[in-house]
Amino acid sequence: MSTTADPLVALGSLPGVADSVDSVRKAVDRVYGHRVMRRRSNEIASEAALRGARASAALAGADWALEEVRRRTDFGVEGEPRTVGAALRLTAEAGQLLSVWRQSPLRALARLHLVAAGGSRPDDTVGRPRFEGEPVDEPLIGLELPSASEVSGRLDGLASLLIAGSEASALVTAAVVHGELLALRPFGSCNGLVARAAERIVLVGSGLDPKSICPAEVGHAELGRDAYAAALEGYVSGTPEGVAAWIVHCARAVELGVRESTAVCEALQRGAA
């Protein structure tokens, strides 16, 4: 497939991107090679899912301590508990949508939004892209909101690229999916949560992180909301420098997620967790 037919490939040659892709691959290979992974990978995956959900909720404004998320069960109420509950549900759902994503990314996104927002929004707005004039509840993303027609066109274009398949690295593809969904905010709510869940699906489904033990959400939260917003602004600018900075930012987030799971492996090895 040529770079003309596969525009994602061209992004791999942007400044710093190739080095970031290589660095992420080496980091992921190291944690997959950890001796604890050979016999306790399910435990690592479960812990990564919990920590990833906590981090995604934090980026959506519900910054709870990990132990608070671990012990709580009342996620049906409004406000921060609902946000944390949505993040937990999305993390669980993401692993069930790999085959759907390959065949129909838009159907998978609709399902993710339904899981995140079900019961918290009017039923006729859940699980579908917003119509013109419908409000978007995404207070932590202050970028100009694209029109509903632009959202529709760009989502269709993104889905077509993904279904056709790409020779681009998993990291580049995941970063573009994440960035597009944040930029477009196609749903009336929960767009950040859905975008981060979609990034997870791409990283897992591509084979980069097949056991889902490298929670990029942890890295995004650790890098901070300000850095997240600034990197997103670069992506939305469409300049080569801005898009490269976003991809590099996503790469760093994955590496920090790897570091988190490596620490869990070490703790398990010591018998401390």
Side-chain angles (χ1 to χ4, degrees), residues 26-38 213 265:
K26 289 177 179 176
V28 172
D29 286 347
R30 282 195 298 272
V31 72
Y32 269 83
H34 196 287
R35 61 186 300 178
V36 170
M37 280 293 296
R38 289 197 293 271
I213 62 165
C265 287

Side-chain angles (χ1 to χ4, degrees), residues 154-168:
R154 285 173 62 174
L155 280 180
D156 285 345
L158 179 64
S160 296
L161 277 176
L162 295 171
I163 292 170
S166 175
E167 294 178 0

Side-chain angles (χ1 to χ4, degrees):
M1 184 182 293
S2 70
T3 56
T4 301
D6 186 359
L8 295 180
V9 167
L11 301 181
S13 63
L14 293 175
V17 171
D19 288 343
S20 291
V21 169
D22 185 56
S23 181
V24 165
R25 166 51 70 187
K26 289 177 179 176
V28 172
D29 286 347
R30 282 195 298 272
V31 72
Y32 269 83
H34 196 287
R35 61 186 300 178
V36 170
M37 280 293 296
R38 289 197 293 271
R39 61 188 186 278
R40 303 182 74 173
S41 63
N42 288 341
E43 292 175 69
I44 306 299
S46 294
E47 191 65 19
L50 182 70
R51 294 179 185 220
R54 189 219 71 83
S56 189
L59 286 166
D63 192 358
W64 289 13
L66 181 63
E67 292 310 313
E68 181 79 356
V69 178
R70 202 187 298 278
R71 72 173 184 83
R72 290 277 288 268
T73 58
D74 55 329
F75 298 118
V77 297
E78 293 300 324
E80 291 188 4
R82 181 175 285 280
T83 299
V84 175
L88 289 166
R89 292 193 302 272
L90 281 173
T91 301
E93 187 71 17
Q96 309 301 314
L97 287 176
L98 295 175
S99 62
V100 177
W101 181 268
R102 294 187 187 102
Q103 297 170 4
S104 176
L106 297 185
R107 188 154 60 92
L109 289 172
R111 175 61 186 170
L112 289 173
H113 188 247
L114 182 65
V115 167
S120 67
R121 308 284 296 179
D123 287 348
D124 64 348
T125 69
V126 173
R128 64 157 175 81
R130 55 186 166 84
F131 297 149
E132 207 66 62
E134 288 185 335
V136 173
D137 181 16
E138 207 72 44
L140 299 179
I141 300 176
L143 298 170
E144 183 178 352
L145 196 66
S147 68
S149 60
E150 181 180 351
V151 168
S152 178
R154 285 173 62 174
L155 280 180
D156 285 345
L158 179 64
S160 296
L161 277 176
L162 295 171
I163 292 170
S166 175
E167 294 178 0
S169 71
L171 176 69
V172 168
T173 303
V176 168
V177 167
H178 187 171
E180 279 293 288
L181 293 174
L182 285 179
L184 295 175
R185 282 146 291 161
F187 302 110
S189 64
C190 302
N191 290 286
L193 294 171
V194 168
R196 291 183 287 276
E199 179 183 51
R200 174 183 285 268
I201 288 173
V202 174
L203 293 172
V204 173
S206 66
L208 177 64
D209 179 24
K211 295 182 183 291
S212 195
I213 62 165
C214 305
E217 305 96 327
V218 169
H220 287 301
E222 187 172 335
L223 291 167
R225 288 186 204 163
D226 289 345
Y228 190 59
L232 178 62
E233 286 184 17
Y235 177 82
V236 171
S237 75
T239 66
E241 297 80 9
V243 174
W246 169 253
I247 297 171
V248 171
H249 182 89
C250 290
R252 181 60 180 148
V254 175
E255 289 190 78
L256 289 171
V258 169
R259 188 178 71 177
E260 185 87 354
S261 287
T262 301
V264 173
C265 287
E266 296 293 334
L268 287 171
Q269 185 168 287
R270 294 192 305 270

